[in-house]
Amino acid sequence: MTSAYPLSWPEGFPRARTREKGQFRTTLAGALENVRSSLLAFGRDSGSPVAGIVLSSNVSLGENRPADPGVAVWFSWDGEQRCIPVDRYDTPAANLQAIHHVLEARRTELRHGTLSLVRATFKGFIPALPAPGRRPWREVLGLGAHPEPAAIETAYRELARTKHPDAGGSHEAMAELNAARTAALKEIGHG
């Protein structure tokens, strides 16, 4: 189950290394409403309703400008889970507004193209899922939403002390740890 808080970023989508100030003139509440309206309109226009919407971010009560402003909108459409993640901008409101524009672009494709065209472009929004039974790297390494490379390496070394077969662990546990480290570094753009 995808969580609304903290940010649940899909595997296979690299994180932004730098962020820019968005030129959108909207509040967080306005951007949330725009995304909600666009999702519902997209479902209506496509003839396949959008369901199971989860807006995932690090925004919490009293914290509208978290250190990690990324936003991932998870939903089901056309029989598959989709995710539109954006962390290009320095505020959650700007990232949400960008997601609104991505959705509006899909609605434009529907008006001027075909449902087949939209299905093809939406294939890019199907998140890479861990192999069945494989835990996400954040869970394996015990790290939060946006760790630095040094934190990944530190967590890896500390866990390897107990997971390695020579230290009483197992080959399976060490393989899971190695895969988690590789996935983490790849996602943050250092792999």
Side-chain angles (χ1 to χ4, degrees):
M1 176 72 180
T2 304
S3 66
Y5 178 87
L7 174 62
S8 181
W9 196 261
E11 294 205 21
F13 284 86
R15 300 300 307 267
R17 292 184 190 204
T18 60
R19 297 199 170 90
E20 58 191 78
K21 183 172 176 51
Q23 299 301 312
F24 307 113
R25 300 192 195 300
T26 186
T27 63
L28 181 59
L32 283 166
E33 178 56 28
N34 289 342
V35 168
R36 187 190 73 73
S37 295
S38 289
L39 281 167
L40 295 176
F42 175 77
R44 184 180 58 248
D45 294 351
S46 69
S48 182
V50 171
I53 300 169
V54 176
L55 299 172
S56 185
S57 75
N58 290 316
V59 173
S60 63
L61 189 59
E63 179 65 54
N64 288 336
R65 292 184 65 96
D68 179 353
V71 178
V73 177
W74 296 81
F75 57 96
S76 294
W77 176 74
D78 203 31
E80 295 184 278
Q81 185 177 42
R82 314 290 171 143
C83 182
I84 303 175
V86 176
D87 67 344
R88 176 178 180 168
Y89 301 107
D90 63 357
T91 66
N95 288 320
L96 275 167
Q97 192 65 11
I99 291 169
H100 159 70
H101 287 290
V102 168
L103 288 163
E104 288 301 303
R106 302 297 73 81
R107 291 183 67 213
T108 299
E109 288 175 348
L110 275 171
R111 282 191 299 275
H112 300 288
T114 65
L115 186 56
S116 295
L117 173 66
V118 174
R119 284 186 175 124
T121 59
F122 249 107
K123 288 251 184 249
F125 297 119
I126 298 174
L129 299 174
R134 190 169 126 200
R135 298 184 299 157
W137 66 261
R138 286 178 182 83
E139 184 181 324
V140 173
L141 295 172
L143 295 172
H146 198 62
E148 295 294 322
I152 293 168
E153 294 296 346
T154 299
Y156 173 81
R157 281 192 303 276
E158 288 176 7
L159 290 165
R161 289 184 187 136
T162 59
K163 304 275 185 198
H164 196 278
D166 294 344
S170 67
H171 291 287
E172 293 80 16
M174 197 62 203
E176 179 184 49
L177 183 59
N178 287 331
R181 177 183 174 266
T182 300
L185 291 171
K186 181 179 178 184
E187 182 175 311
I188 68 165
H190 285 82

